[in-house]
Short mmCIF file of all heavy atoms in Angstrom, two decimals:
data_model
loop_
_atom_site.label_atom_id
_atom_site.label_comp_id
_atom_site.label_asym_id
_atom_site.label_seq_id
_atom_site.Cartn_x
_atom_site.Cartn_y
_atom_site.Cartn_z
N ARG A 292 -15.11 11.25 32.52
CA ARG A 292 -15.11 10.77 31.16
C ARG A 292 -15.94 11.77 30.34
O ARG A 292 -17.01 12.35 30.83
CB ARG A 292 -15.71 9.39 31.14
CG ARG A 292 -15.07 8.42 32.06
CD ARG A 292 -13.55 8.28 31.73
NE ARG A 292 -13.41 7.70 30.42
CZ ARG A 292 -12.12 7.76 29.82
NH1 ARG A 292 -11.04 8.47 30.39
NH2 ARG A 292 -11.91 7.25 28.64
N ILE A 293 -15.70 11.75 29.00
CA ILE A 293 -16.46 12.65 28.14
C ILE A 293 -18.06 12.26 27.98
O ILE A 293 -18.81 13.14 27.73
CB ILE A 293 -15.74 12.73 26.65
CG1 ILE A 293 -16.24 13.97 25.97
CG2 ILE A 293 -16.09 11.48 25.87
CD1 ILE A 293 -15.68 15.30 26.61
N LYS A 294 -18.28 11.16 28.32
CA LYS A 294 -19.64 10.51 28.35
C LYS A 294 -20.62 11.53 29.17
O LYS A 294 -21.80 11.69 28.80
CB LYS A 294 -19.69 9.11 28.87
CG LYS A 294 -20.90 8.50 29.06
CD LYS A 294 -20.63 7.08 29.72
CE LYS A 294 -21.88 6.31 29.82
NZ LYS A 294 -21.79 5.12 30.53
N ASP A 295 -20.10 11.97 30.25
CA ASP A 295 -20.86 12.71 31.20
C ASP A 295 -21.41 14.11 30.60
O ASP A 295 -22.13 14.79 31.26
CB ASP A 295 -20.10 13.02 32.49
CG ASP A 295 -19.75 11.73 33.25
OD1 ASP A 295 -20.43 10.70 32.94
OD2 ASP A 295 -18.97 11.69 34.24
N TYR A 296 -20.80 14.44 29.42
CA TYR A 296 -21.22 15.80 28.86
C TYR A 296 -22.70 15.77 28.61
O TYR A 296 -23.34 16.90 28.78
CB TYR A 296 -20.46 15.83 27.42
CG TYR A 296 -20.71 17.10 26.60
CD1 TYR A 296 -19.73 18.14 26.66
CD2 TYR A 296 -21.76 17.16 25.63
CE1 TYR A 296 -19.87 19.23 25.89
CE2 TYR A 296 -21.85 18.25 24.81
CZ TYR A 296 -20.92 19.34 25.04
OH TYR A 296 -21.05 20.56 24.20
N THR A 297 -23.29 14.70 28.31
CA THR A 297 -24.78 14.64 27.92
C THR A 297 -25.63 14.89 29.18
O THR A 297 -26.71 15.20 29.14
CB THR A 297 -25.24 13.36 27.28
OG1 THR A 297 -24.76 12.20 28.13
CG2 THR A 297 -24.55 13.11 26.01
N GLN A 298 -25.00 14.71 30.52
CA GLN A 298 -25.88 15.06 31.61
C GLN A 298 -26.16 16.53 31.71
O GLN A 298 -27.04 16.86 32.33
CB GLN A 298 -25.10 14.66 32.82
CG GLN A 298 -24.82 13.14 33.11
CD GLN A 298 -23.90 12.91 34.24
OE1 GLN A 298 -23.66 13.82 35.02
NE2 GLN A 298 -23.52 11.77 34.46
N TYR A 299 -25.22 17.39 31.10
CA TYR A 299 -25.42 18.75 31.21
C TYR A 299 -25.94 19.53 29.94
O TYR A 299 -26.46 20.57 29.91
CB TYR A 299 -24.16 19.49 31.61
CG TYR A 299 -23.57 18.82 32.88
CD1 TYR A 299 -22.67 17.77 32.86
CD2 TYR A 299 -23.92 19.27 34.06
CE1 TYR A 299 -22.31 17.13 33.99
CE2 TYR A 299 -23.38 18.65 35.26
CZ TYR A 299 -22.55 17.67 35.18
OH TYR A 299 -22.09 16.95 36.27
N ARG A 300 -25.78 18.77 28.74
CA ARG A 300 -26.24 19.27 27.44
C ARG A 300 -27.10 18.17 26.91
O ARG A 300 -26.65 17.28 26.21
CB ARG A 300 -25.08 19.57 26.49
CG ARG A 300 -24.08 20.66 27.10
CD ARG A 300 -24.45 22.08 26.49
NE ARG A 300 -24.11 22.28 25.09
CZ ARG A 300 -24.18 23.28 24.38
NH1 ARG A 300 -24.78 24.41 25.07
NH2 ARG A 300 -23.80 23.52 23.18
N LYS A 301 -28.37 18.33 27.19
CA LYS A 301 -29.30 17.21 26.95
C LYS A 301 -29.52 16.81 25.48
O LYS A 301 -29.74 15.78 25.07
CB LYS A 301 -30.80 17.49 27.49
CG LYS A 301 -30.68 17.81 29.03
CD LYS A 301 -30.51 16.42 29.82
CE LYS A 301 -30.53 16.75 31.28
NZ LYS A 301 -29.90 15.78 32.04
N HIS A 302 -29.31 17.94 24.63
CA HIS A 302 -29.49 17.64 23.07
C HIS A 302 -28.27 16.90 22.55
O HIS A 302 -28.38 16.40 21.42
CB HIS A 302 -29.78 18.93 22.33
CG HIS A 302 -28.47 19.79 22.52
ND1 HIS A 302 -28.34 20.66 23.54
CD2 HIS A 302 -27.47 19.99 21.86
CE1 HIS A 302 -27.22 21.28 23.36
NE2 HIS A 302 -26.62 20.82 22.36
N ALA A 303 -27.13 16.87 23.32
CA ALA A 303 -25.95 16.29 22.71
C ALA A 303 -26.11 14.72 22.73
O ALA A 303 -26.95 14.18 23.49
CB ALA A 303 -24.83 16.65 23.53
N VAL A 304 -25.47 14.08 21.77
CA VAL A 304 -25.52 12.65 21.67
C VAL A 304 -24.13 11.89 22.02
O VAL A 304 -23.15 12.42 21.43
CB VAL A 304 -26.04 12.23 20.32
CG1 VAL A 304 -26.03 10.69 20.14
CG2 VAL A 304 -27.21 12.81 19.92
N TYR A 305 -24.20 10.87 22.77
CA TYR A 305 -22.98 10.22 23.14
C TYR A 305 -23.09 8.77 22.47
O TYR A 305 -24.06 8.06 22.57
CB TYR A 305 -22.76 9.88 24.66
CG TYR A 305 -21.56 8.99 24.98
CD1 TYR A 305 -20.36 9.54 24.79
CD2 TYR A 305 -21.85 7.71 25.46
CE1 TYR A 305 -19.23 8.79 25.13
CE2 TYR A 305 -20.73 6.87 25.79
CZ TYR A 305 -19.45 7.40 25.63
OH TYR A 305 -18.33 6.61 25.89
N LYS A 306 -22.05 8.39 21.72
CA LYS A 306 -21.98 7.06 21.06
C LYS A 306 -20.86 6.31 21.60
O LYS A 306 -19.72 6.57 21.29
CB LYS A 306 -21.96 7.38 19.49
CG LYS A 306 -22.53 6.07 18.88
CD LYS A 306 -22.79 6.23 17.39
CE LYS A 306 -22.88 4.97 16.56
NZ LYS A 306 -22.66 5.19 15.21
N GLU A 307 -21.14 5.24 22.35
CA GLU A 307 -20.12 4.30 22.86
C GLU A 307 -19.46 3.66 21.82
O GLU A 307 -20.15 3.21 20.86
CB GLU A 307 -20.92 3.32 23.75
CG GLU A 307 -19.94 2.41 24.54
CD GLU A 307 -19.41 2.98 25.83
OE1 GLU A 307 -19.91 3.97 26.37
OE2 GLU A 307 -18.46 2.40 26.32
N ALA A 308 -18.19 3.68 21.79
CA ALA A 308 -17.36 3.02 20.68
C ALA A 308 -17.65 3.55 19.30
O ALA A 308 -17.51 2.86 18.31
CB ALA A 308 -17.53 1.53 20.71
N GLY A 309 -18.08 4.74 19.17
CA GLY A 309 -18.53 5.42 17.88
C GLY A 309 -17.24 5.76 17.16
O GLY A 309 -16.11 5.71 17.68
N ASN A 310 -17.39 6.11 15.92
CA ASN A 310 -16.22 6.54 15.10
C ASN A 310 -16.46 7.99 14.71
O ASN A 310 -17.32 8.30 13.84
CB ASN A 310 -16.16 5.69 13.77
CG ASN A 310 -15.00 5.94 12.88
OD1 ASN A 310 -14.34 7.04 13.19
ND2 ASN A 310 -14.75 5.16 11.94
N ILE A 311 -15.66 8.92 15.22
CA ILE A 311 -15.86 10.26 15.08
C ILE A 311 -15.60 10.78 13.60
O ILE A 311 -16.33 11.70 13.13
CB ILE A 311 -14.90 11.03 15.97
CG1 ILE A 311 -15.20 12.58 15.98
CG2 ILE A 311 -13.44 10.87 15.57
CD1 ILE A 311 -14.41 13.42 17.00
N TRP A 312 -15.06 10.02 12.84
CA TRP A 312 -14.61 10.27 11.56
C TRP A 312 -15.76 10.22 10.53
O TRP A 312 -15.76 10.60 9.30
CB TRP A 312 -13.23 9.68 10.98
CG TRP A 312 -12.29 9.78 12.00
CD1 TRP A 312 -11.55 8.71 12.49
CD2 TRP A 312 -11.64 10.97 12.45
NE1 TRP A 312 -10.65 9.22 13.46
CE2 TRP A 312 -10.61 10.63 13.29
CE3 TRP A 312 -11.93 12.32 12.35
CZ2 TRP A 312 -9.93 11.53 14.18
CZ3 TRP A 312 -11.20 13.23 13.09
CH2 TRP A 312 -10.26 12.90 13.93
N GLU A 313 -16.90 9.55 10.92
CA GLU A 313 -18.12 9.31 10.19
C GLU A 313 -19.00 10.61 10.30
O GLU A 313 -19.90 10.80 9.54
CB GLU A 313 -18.86 8.08 10.61
CG GLU A 313 -18.13 6.85 10.26
CD GLU A 313 -18.79 5.64 10.93
OE1 GLU A 313 -19.70 5.78 11.79
OE2 GLU A 313 -18.11 4.58 10.73
N VAL A 314 -18.68 11.61 11.17
CA VAL A 314 -19.41 12.90 11.19
C VAL A 314 -18.96 13.72 10.12
O VAL A 314 -17.77 14.03 10.04
CB VAL A 314 -19.23 13.50 12.67
CG1 VAL A 314 -20.05 14.79 12.70
CG2 VAL A 314 -19.59 12.52 13.78
N PRO A 315 -19.78 14.29 9.21
CA PRO A 315 -19.45 15.14 8.20
C PRO A 315 -18.80 16.36 8.74
O PRO A 315 -19.36 16.93 9.61
CB PRO A 315 -20.69 15.42 7.41
CG PRO A 315 -21.60 14.18 7.70
CD PRO A 315 -21.26 13.81 9.12
N CYS A 316 -17.69 16.81 8.15
CA CYS A 316 -17.00 18.01 8.60
C CYS A 316 -16.17 18.57 7.39
O CYS A 316 -15.99 17.97 6.39
CB CYS A 316 -16.10 17.67 9.67
SG CYS A 316 -14.67 16.77 9.17
N GLN A 317 -15.77 19.80 7.55
CA GLN A 317 -14.83 20.44 6.59
C GLN A 317 -13.25 20.40 6.98
O GLN A 317 -12.48 20.37 6.31
CB GLN A 317 -15.28 21.89 6.27
CG GLN A 317 -16.58 21.93 5.54
CD GLN A 317 -17.34 23.29 5.80
OE1 GLN A 317 -17.73 23.53 6.87
NE2 GLN A 317 -17.59 23.94 4.74
#
Side-chain angles (χ1 to χ4, degrees):
R292 308 300 297 162
I293 200 65
K294 181 183 183 183
D295 295 346
Y296 185 93
T297 54
Q298 289 176 17
Y299 306 90
R300 297 267 285 184
K301 301 285 182 203
H302 62 273
V304 178
Y305 174 70
K306 200 165 168 199
E307 185 84 15
N310 182 349
I311 191 170
W312 312 121
E313 288 168 3
V314 179
C316 72
Q317 291 156 299

